[in-house]
Amino acid sequence: MLNLQERSWNWALAHALEVGDTDVFPTPFEYQAIAHDWDNILNKLKDRNILEWCTRPARTLLSPKAKYGFRAITQLDPLDLLVYSALIYEIADDLEDRRISPQDEIVFSYRVATTREGQLFEPDIGYRQFLEKCRSKLLSCGDPGVIATADISDFYSRIYHHRLENGLQVATTKSNHVKAIMSLLSGWNGTETFGIPVGSAPSRILAEIVLSDVDEALLANGVDFIRFNDDYRIFASSQTLAYKQIAFLAETLFRNHGLSLQPNKTAIFSAPEFHQQFLTTPLDREMDSLHERFQYLVEELELENPYEEIEYEDLTSEQQEIVDALNLVEIFQEEVEKTVPDLPVIKFCLRHLGQLGDDRIIEDIFDNLESLTPAFVDIISYFTNLRFLNVDERSRLGSRILALLENSIVSELAYHRMWIIQIFTNSREWDNEGQFINFYNREIDQACKRKLILAIGRSQQIHWFQSQWRTLFEHPHWQRRAVLAAASCMPSDARKHWYKSIEPQLDMLELAVSRWARNNPFSQ
């Protein structure tokens, strides 16, 4: 028997609302519905024996990892994500204690530091600190001094469940929690005995515990290294020693976990080569300077959220000078002219130009879309943030965005199509509503069809939902919940009667969605 504590459930919901369920999918509206109906759902969850929890349908898409690279990403059912998160929350401190201490400045990825507000990881330990440590350790490499780089191949998707289970059993005495986690993974993976969901925060802690024995083996054998996630840096006094230690890392990964290193990311560099390639290019220095100046601006404006919109007209003349000095438009335009644009630079510019509502790079984006596809989610976010467009400009841009669903480089992946449609699910300001049903009828991917259902509802095409009344349960789970939410565009009396008639047939989450939709109708 395993009942999770009420505070764990509360934390799991706060976590989903604060940071989302993944960093690769749009956050589902279901979390708002769950929050709206939380008292009812919590009463049911806290009495459930989690050892008997049956997993619900997840969804998996192929997403771009680089220009011509791909990875499978998973979005868990919202209730499954709450169970997963609450389980991890209750053993997170045990797992953190099993790892090399953060004070040792060796492992910089996903250090546990939970708060009641839903935080899971320490925000001041991460990739930036990993790079800073690389810089400082270069001074202690000796002469001639070399640095080896190594990256695990397909890490999350190749983690073996029984080896993960062994690692969890060593880290915590809460054996029922371990059983429940392994049962969830088995339910999501079916007959496969390897792989953990990519993109969700709880998975990151599991991945870290998998590597804890590898880290300990490296230390025990005198390897001078630091790590961020699956990215290792080994510091050695000679190429011979560096090669020996890479071989030891590769052997340990394979023997302990059946994992291997990526050949194209495993290399040995002299200190000057490493310094030039990874740490001190002119572009890196320019981006560090931009980051510092933008952070200074955020602090000056006393913004609680560093991604909060910035109203240029409300800035003082001194603050406007800081913004003007950033030259983000020029930097973006120079970058897209390159054969291979630098992705971090592109993303930085998109995010902060979006904060400013600056629309001067729209044409640059459409003209260079092929080379910018790895930053496509950031492009969609940028378009969404262009708050100064007038009605006609927004309609024309909406038409151009929707046209990308057909015969464009981004139309090939359902992942990209899903993000395109996402723009039209939250408001009617992008126009072009007459095309949604046609796209729905031709779309084959469930994630995209779900978004189109929400867009149809947001555009208040009541006739479409009237035809769905009798076929609600023919839709798969994720689409069914979209119909429940979007059907709230119907007239008040009609939707009230429909929801009342179907509620006895709904599961816990569907019932929460119907209650939320009745109080937050798409007709508003």
Side-chain angles (χ1 to χ4, degrees), residues 57-84:
R59 53 183 185 174
T60 300
L61 290 179
L62 201 64
S63 86
K65 192 174 182 179
K67 186 174 182 180
Y68 299 118
F70 305 93
R71 64 171 176 169
I73 55 174
T74 300
Q75 187 167 42
L76 302 177
D77 177 276
L79 291 182
D80 277 4
L81 190 277
L82 293 184
V83 174
Y84 194 30

Side-chain angles (χ1 to χ4, degrees), residues 50-62:
I50 300 304
L51 292 176
E52 297 178 353
W53 183 268
C54 294
T55 54
R56 298 160 60 90
R59 53 183 185 174
T60 300
L61 290 179
L62 201 64

Side-chain angles (χ1 to χ4, degrees), residues 128 135 279 283-293:
R128 180 172 288 272
R135 293 187 179 100
L279 300 177
L283 187 57
D284 287 329
R285 289 197 297 271
E286 176 67 12
M287 289 309 296
D288 284 343
S289 175
L290 281 170
H291 181 83
E292 290 170 5
R293 280 181 277 165

